[in-house]
Amino acid sequence: MGQNDQSGLYIRESIGGVPVESERVSGKGKKVSRKKSEAVVTTLKSDPYIWGIYILLVVISIIELYSASAAEVVSTNVYAPLIRHGMFLGIGFVLLYLIQRTHYGYITRFAGVIGVLSWLALAYSTFMGVEINGAQRAFMLGPFTVQPPEIVKLTVIIWLAAILAKSQKRHDVKTSGIVYSAIVVAAFGGLLALNGLTNTLLVMVVSVSMFLICGIPLRKIVIVIGIYGVLFGMFYVCTKVINRSSEFDKVGQTEQVSSPSGGEHGLGSQTQVNRVVRFLKGVHPEDELTDENRQVIMAKLAQARGGVVGKGFGNSRESVRLPLAFSDYIYSIVIEESGLIGGIFLMVLYLLLLARAGYVAYNLSRALPAFLILGCAILIVFQALVHMAIVTGLFPVSGQPLPLISKGGTSVLVMSAAIGIMLSVSRHATRQKEGKSDRDNVEAQHLGDDLSAINASADN
């Protein structure tokens, strides 16, 4: 809107929703003068490279999910799994778009509230939830199944980013910030460990990565890792006691064995021990096909059949015989159809996401957005690498979806939200080259003094 006076017209625009007075223009359309408080408006745009990687992953997801869901469509509509997955991808896109339009400062302001609610949801699902693939880690919300462990992964990143930004000092973090961060990870890791180690290790590795990024000295990180190890030992002993108590309560009952779905049954359980033993033993061509080794053998057959260039999209044969080919083992279907070339391309695509996040983070003025974008990228990429390592036989069998590609409503929505946060940072955060600009002032207003710590890369 404009306001007329004797000198001409004032043009008013806004940056990030905050109105600023721009250039003064005469009635003839010529520039007359500019006040010190006036600003040149910069168009806010999200990073196009992150957008491109996200779109490619969604396209791959639709193609591969259709092939990998062959076992599900035997008795139902052939397009039913694809429609359901497409619905979650659509909801995820809307969520991503809304988040990337929102200033990331609003999200971190409520990090503590989001963290507490996520912890309560995780506790509820752990002790009173429904069992999915052999593990009690979900609850029903109407017709939908919600898996809090997936939500917790992103929640921990947001909370840690806020804590570390508040505790940031020159090339280090206050001891109180390290302690608070370790408590947060331990609080979530303790509950996650009751249903298996994979998600727990994932959260801890991401947290250690964020510690390295924010400049915590290596000796302090080693101490934190030591604390994590002690906590693991405590949880192991506790679950051993609980398991023994359960055995006394179930005298005469047979022991529950591992399901072929790869579900986890708790820290220190016999299922996990057997899983590690089978991993160390490996599989051989002469081995008899059993429920315990079916996933591993079928996954290797799918990869061997793919060869270098693959059998072509839609030509998967093993998807009918491979349990959970549409989720925990979808990478084997990717290799079967697109070969070694397609498998490497997908892995490089995830790594490019991390590389781009690192480039953006390095050029940011403040620490908080750098922690957020790198934390989200590390979560997505590390989970993808863990999934690939499990499928190719480098890690023991454990349920871990391939981000944005595997079937799963909660996982798709959480990973979409993580991409949305990365895009929000790339859209709203101030770059070092912009200096003390009006955009920088707007960002400071959103964050406040406690979250406006300078990025270490800008202070070298």
Side-chain angles (χ1 to χ4, degrees):
M1 296 296 293
Q3 178 181 352
N4 288 308
D5 60 13
Q6 296 178 352
S7 302
L9 182 70
Y10 279 109
I11 307 298
R12 296 186 63 84
E13 298 190 43
S14 65
I15 300 177
V18 179
V20 297
E21 194 171 69
S22 186
E23 296 181 350
R24 194 179 190 186
V25 183
S26 69
K28 296 181 180 180
K30 294 182 178 181
K31 193 184 303 180
V32 177
S33 65
R34 181 179 295 169
K35 296 182 179 179
K36 292 183 178 179
S37 61
E38 294 170 351
V40 177
V41 177
T42 302
T43 302
L44 301 180
K45 294 182 179 180
S46 303
D47 188 84
Y49 296 97
I50 297 177
W51 267 115
I53 294 172
Y54 165 74
I55 293 172
L56 279 175
L57 289 175
V58 169
V59 172
I60 294 172
S61 175
I62 294 173
I63 295 173
E64 294 300 336
L65 198 280
Y66 177 72
S67 299
S69 299
E72 281 194 311
V73 300
V74 173
S75 58
T76 61
N77 181 358
V78 67
Y79 296 109
L82 187 62
I83 293 174
R84 180 177 175 83
H85 185 64
M87 179 187 69
F88 281 110
L89 286 175
I91 297 174
F93 174 79
V94 173
L95 181 63
L96 177 152
Y97 182 79
L98 294 176
I99 292 177
Q100 67 95 24
R101 298 277 297 183
T102 305
H103 197 286
Y104 66 89
Y106 290 126
I107 301 173
T108 52
R109 278 292 171 188
F110 298 98
V113 176
I114 297 172
V116 172
L117 293 177
S118 298
W119 189 89
L120 292 175
L122 180 62
Y124 177 79
S125 67
T126 300
F127 298 106
M128 293 178 285
V130 296
E131 187 172 296
I132 303 291
N133 295 333
Q136 188 171 312
R137 51 187 175 191
F139 63 86
M140 301 302 298
L141 186 62
F144 301 104
T145 303
V146 180
Q147 298 199 35
E150 299 298 322
I151 301 174
V152 161
K153 298 172 187 176
L154 183 57
T155 298
V156 170
I157 290 173
I158 297 173
W159 206 348
L160 288 186
I163 294 173
L164 295 173
K166 288 180 180 179
S167 308
Q168 190 77 12
K169 58 182 182 179
R170 183 177 175 83
H171 303 297
D172 199 355
V173 173
K174 296 178 183 177
T175 302
S176 59
I178 301 175
V179 172
Y180 293 151
S181 298
I183 291 174
V184 168
V185 175
F188 284 103
L191 289 178
L192 289 172
L194 295 178
N195 268 315
L197 296 180
T198 309
N199 286 328
T200 310
L201 291 174
L202 184 62
V203 168
M204 289 186 173
V205 168
V206 172
S207 68
V208 171
S209 300
M210 293 184 69
F211 293 159
L212 290 170
I213 292 167
C214 69
I216 296 178
L218 186 59
R219 58 182 178 81
K220 292 184 179 180
I221 295 178
V222 171
I223 293 175
V224 173
I225 295 176
I227 294 174
Y228 288 168
V230 172
L231 292 175
F232 260 121
M234 294 173 59
F235 282 119
Y236 179 84
V237 172
C238 291
T239 51
K240 275 293 186 182
V241 173
I242 293 174
N243 290 338
R244 289 183 179 180
S245 299
S246 300
E247 290 176 2
F248 282 114
D249 293 337
K250 298 180 180 180
V251 176
Q253 298 184 15
T254 58
E255 180 186 4
Q256 185 179 8
V257 297
S258 173
S259 66
S261 63
E264 300 179 7
H265 296 270
L267 179 64
S269 66
Q270 189 61 40
T271 299
Q272 291 186 349
V273 174
N274 292 339
R275 188 174 297 155
V276 173
V277 170
R278 288 194 297 270
F279 167 73
L280 296 175
K281 180 182 177 182
V283 293
H284 307 280
E286 65 275 9
D287 289 348
E288 180 183 357
L289 187 65
T290 65
D291 288 341
E292 286 75 19
N293 64 18
R294 180 181 300 275
Q295 282 181 312
V296 177
I297 292 178
M298 292 302 174
K300 290 185 179 295
L301 285 175
Q303 295 168 66
R305 187 170 182 268
V308 177
V309 296
K311 297 300 180 180
F313 296 115
N315 294 323
S316 171
R317 183 184 67 188
E318 302 304 327
S319 60
V320 180
R321 302 190 295 172
L322 176 60
L324 295 182
F326 48 80
S327 57
D328 293 351
Y329 277 81
I330 197 169
Y331 188 62
S332 62
I333 306 303
V334 172
I335 296 178
E336 182 183 8
E337 295 190 344
S338 60
L340 178 64
I341 295 175
I344 293 176
F345 173 79
L346 183 57
M347 180 175 64
V348 170
L349 198 61
Y350 282 110
L351 294 175
L352 286 175
L353 181 66
L354 179 59
R356 186 60 187 176
Y359 175 81
V360 174
Y362 182 80
N363 290 283
L364 296 179
S365 298
R366 290 183 168 81
L368 176 60
F371 297 161
L372 276 177
I373 192 171
L374 277 174
C376 291
I378 290 171
L379 169 64
I380 295 172
V381 174
F382 188 73
Q383 180 168 317
L385 294 179
V386 169
H387 174 97
M388 295 174 183
I390 292 171
V391 170
T392 55
L394 297 178
F395 281 5
V397 174
S398 177
Q400 201 62 234
L402 189 59
L404 291 173
I405 294 182
S406 292
K407 177 185 175 184
T410 305
S411 176
V412 169
L413 295 182
V414 169
M415 292 303 161
S416 299
I419 296 287
I421 292 175
M422 295 175 66
L423 290 170
S424 175
V425 169
S426 70
R427 180 185 181 93
H428 298 283
T430 307
R431 271 58 170 183
Q432 296 177 26
K433 62 182 180 181
E434 292 173 324
K436 292 296 182 180
S437 63
D438 288 276
R439 180 174 173 179
D440 182 73
N441 294 332
V442 170
E443 185 179 34
Q445 292 178 24
H446 281 293
L447 299 182
D449 294 336
D450 56 337
L451 291 174
S452 296
I454 299 299
N455 186 8
S457 65
D459 195 31
N460 287 332

